[in-house]
Amino acid sequence: QVQLVESGGGSVRAGGSLRLSCAASRASYMGSYMAWFRTTPGKGREGVATISSNGVNTIYRDSVKGRFTISLDSAANTMYLQMNSLEPEDTAMYYCATTLHPINPSYALMSSEYRYWGQGTQVAVSS
């Protein structure tokens, strides 16, 4: 079992920044990933970024590359998502997720690979 708690959401103007945090109740499983997903009424759930348990491998969806940075503080069992140059299209509920089995990097942005989810934190970006 893993408990995940997100924080850091809020409301900003376009071009602004936010940093999301995801505190986990235990260390990452070797070979697994921790990820950020977001959901909107129109687009459903989409993978935003993911990071390997050793913090070496990161994967981003194309629309956030160059703007978002995912990182992992293994000592604190906490994952972060630094979001810069925010756009109204980034408005969503953001969730962190992880699992206790190895994940093939090719599937690391697929929600079906993750068993444990946080409660979400809302991000609203106005134009």
Side-chain angles (χ1 to χ4, degrees):
Q1 288 278 351
V2 184
Q3 284 74 49
L4 301 170
V5 179
E6 303 98 331
S7 60
S11 298
V12 297
R13 300 291 293 270
S17 298
L18 285 172
R19 188 172 87 149
L20 305 184
S21 299
C22 173
S25 61
R26 55 161 288 167
S28 298
Y29 184 90
M30 186 75 69
S32 185
Y33 280 73
M34 290 188 74
W36 289 99
F37 290 83
R38 63 188 182 188
T39 61
T40 60
K43 297 181 181 179
R45 178 182 292 168
E46 55 187 26
V48 177
T50 188
I51 187 166
S52 58
S53 58
N54 60 8
V56 172
N57 191 31
T58 58
I59 304 169
Y60 298 90
R61 71 177 297 106
D62 287 346
S63 63
V64 307
K65 286 180 181 177
R67 301 189 298 122
F68 290 11
T69 302
I70 190 170
S71 61
L72 180 65
D73 182 343
S74 297
N77 296 336
T78 301
M79 175 179 64
Y80 302 97
L81 185 67
Q82 178 66 44
M83 305 186 294
N84 299 328
S85 302
L86 282 161
E87 303 169 352
E89 293 74 22
D90 297 316
T91 295
M93 183 71 81
Y94 284 71
Y95 298 88
C96 64
T98 192
T99 192
L100 296 178
H101 63 75
I103 294 179
N104 184 318
S106 298
Y107 308 125
L109 276 180
M110 295 178 61
S111 60
S112 57
E113 291 293 312
Y114 296 88
R115 178 173 181 180
Y116 302 102
W117 295 79
Q119 83 288 350
T121 185
Q122 181 69 44
V123 171
V125 185
S126 58
S127 57

